[in-house]
Amino acid sequence: MTRDPRTAAHALARSGARPGVRSCSRIAGLCLVLAVVLAPGADARTPTGTGSTAPAERARSDRDPVSPGGTARPSAEDPALEARLVTVTRELRCLVCQNESIADSHAPLAVDMRNQIREQLRSGMSEREVIAFMVDRYGNFVRFRPPLTASTLALWFGPLLLLVGGLVALGVQLRRRAHRAEPPVPLHPDEAARLAALAADDTSGPVR
Amino acid sequence: MSRHWLPLAGFALLALLLGIGLTLNPREVPSPLVGKPAPAFRLPTLAEPDRRFGPEELRGRAWLLNVWASWCAPCLEEHPIIESLARSGVPVYGLNYKDRREAALAWLQKHGNPYVLSVVDDNGRVGIDYGVYGTPETYLIDRDGVIRFKHVGPLTPRVVERTLLPLLRSLGAS
């Protein structure tokens, strides 16, 4: 008695269960594609280091760099210059702690670079010229937003390509499934006879 | 049947790419200065503050510029390698990076001075011109004053033997 119902379940499973499993894996695949697409955009401009900065360090703000000697420089005298300094330094990666911008980092190199950029801006260099100056010395790696070149094409358009590819695959799959709305596979005559026998058995059996 | 292999093939490709990623060093920044003329400077030397030195004085010969500081522990680690390079006749010049003069001189006194001379980059400006972001760094500059090679971090025997010495030989130094 216990063996037979299982066989019947098998027969049912053959016709019904698979599409469900399949669509599940499709949705999981789509989620993966979306995650890949969204992740770099969310990450690229987040200065990850700020969260871990000690309170004492944070209190000493970027506009107020302390030179190694310990003397604070009167830098807030020109707020417009400081605002420009912040916009430029947010674009530049600190080479020492590579996930922080020069604006956020307290590494000595970042302090030096901020001081140099402040002087450059004061002497009349444009933001673009300052960034070019740093790229000449440290390479495009120093920029948080890499320029569009042959080697960064995949970086810029890869995620979009993945998204489009995923959507196309999804569309094709949905369309194919709509066409495939055929009746379930009929039981083999042997299976049908067995099922009938089981049903007959059940009505006369002890279970009621 | 082939569609069942698709996820496995995808996984294998991803695993391969991630595996290659593990062998790369994300901290290594390719220098845009390799192949470009070494930035000019005119800095006081460590031993004689009144004397100034610039890379143009070394035109016509290949030489090494080694960025070091007394506060830099990895510099001490690579120090024996610098010394053996100097002993074998390679002209090594030092860029003493953001250091105090007394500390730097004491460091050379204590550990030995392999440098023909060291120049003092007090505020790190020349360091920025050379794209220095971590000491020690070593630059190979050819007889035309062009940077041919840059190494970030302590020199290792492997780098010296496989890259630095062959390059020096091909440039006709020592």
Side-chain angles (χ1 to χ4, degrees):
Chain A
M1 280 309 132
T2 43
R3 256 188 69 221
D4 290 341
R6 226 187 289 160
T7 331
H10 253 261
L12 283 173
R14 210 173 293 169
S15 60
R18 269 230 197 106
V21 171
R22 224 179 253 167
S23 71
C24 245
S25 68
R26 286 278 135 62
I27 290 167
L30 184 70
C31 289
L32 185 70
V33 167
L34 281 176
V36 168
V37 169
L38 297 177
D43 164 78
R45 304 269 304 124
T46 319
T48 48
T50 27
S52 60
T53 316
E57 278 196 310
R58 205 182 299 161
R60 132 159 71 105
S61 99
D62 289 316
R63 308 202 170 184
D64 220 23
V66 176
S67 75
T71 45
R73 292 180 189 198
S75 54
E77 60 196 21
D78 187 349
L81 180 78
E82 291 307 304
R84 286 177 71 204
L85 178 68
V86 169
T87 45
V88 176
T89 48
R90 283 212 187 290
E91 292 289 319
L92 295 171
R93 183 196 305 271
C94 171
L95 274 293
V96 180
C97 30
Q98 298 185 348
N99 288 323
E100 276 188 297
S101 73
I102 291 173
D104 293 317
S105 177
H106 292 287
L109 178 65
V111 175
D112 289 348
M113 283 166 97
R114 281 205 296 272
N115 286 336
Q116 178 152 14
I117 292 170
R118 183 182 286 113
E119 278 174 32
Q120 288 173 332
L121 290 175
R122 196 176 283 149
S123 73
M125 273 171 82
S126 72
E127 280 88 341
R128 191 176 293 198
E129 284 168 337
V130 168
I131 290 176
F133 174 91
M134 288 301 168
V135 168
D136 282 347
R137 282 152 184 76
Y138 290 97
N140 277 325
F141 186 75
V142 81
R143 296 177 66 171
F144 269 120
R145 284 190 288 189
L148 190 58
T149 62
S151 61
T152 57
L153 277 180
L155 186 67
W156 279 98
F157 298 111
L160 189 71
L161 224 65
L162 278 176
L163 178 66
V164 171
L167 288 177
V168 167
L170 183 74
V172 166
Q173 205 53 45
L174 286 176
R175 179 168 289 217
R176 198 181 287 170
R177 197 186 301 168
H179 283 300
R180 211 178 30 194
E182 65 208 52
V185 186
L187 289 181
H188 190 267
D190 289 354
E191 290 172 327
R194 239 170 139 182
L195 189 60
L198 274 170
D201 213 23
D202 266 357
T203 47
S204 61
V207 186
R208 190 167 276 196
Chain B
M1 197 60 200
S2 69
R3 57 190 310 140
H4 294 277
W5 289 103
L6 216 60
L8 187 64
F11 171 76
L13 185 69
L14 201 63
L16 183 75
L17 288 175
L18 291 174
I20 293 171
L22 281 179
T23 66
L24 303 176
N25 178 4
R27 292 194 69 89
E28 199 159 296
V29 182
S31 174
L33 287 168
V34 172
K36 300 246 175 72
F41 59 77
R42 197 88 205 144
L43 289 174
T45 63
L46 184 63
E48 304 162 68
D50 293 335
R51 192 191 153 196
R52 285 180 169 262
F53 172 83
E56 72 281 353
E57 290 178 32
L58 293 171
R59 277 293 161 89
R61 58 195 300 208
W63 55 289
L64 292 182
L65 180 68
N66 179 246
V67 183
W68 68 280
S70 66
W71 45 260
C72 150
C75 296
L76 189 56
E77 187 189 313
E78 78 164 358
H79 194 249
I81 294 180
I82 301 287
E83 285 200 302
S84 80
L85 275 170
R87 257 198 311 275
S88 68
V90 179
V92 187
Y93 288 73
L95 181 72
N96 185 227
Y97 181 70
K98 301 191 71 172
D99 209 346
R100 283 182 308 117
R101 183 178 295 274
E102 319 83 73
L105 287 169
W107 193 88
L108 290 180
Q109 184 86 46
K110 184 171 174 194
H111 302 292
N113 182 359
Y115 304 107
V116 181
L117 62 82
S118 285
V119 290
V120 177
D121 184 19
D122 199 21
N123 56 12
R125 283 296 160 88
V126 171
I128 289 179
D129 275 345
Y130 275 79
V132 171
Y133 65 92
T135 45
E137 290 191 6
T138 305
Y139 299 79
L140 171 56
I141 296 164
D142 72 9
R143 53 181 67 204
D144 298 321
V146 174
I147 297 178
R148 300 299 289 263
F149 170 74
K150 173 187 177 180
H151 181 80
V152 179
L155 282 174
T156 60
R158 194 185 151 94
V159 172
V160 169
E161 248 135 66
R162 298 232 177 141
T163 315
L164 200 53
L165 288 180
L167 247 171
L168 270 166
R169 268 193 291 273
S170 76
L171 294 174
S174 72

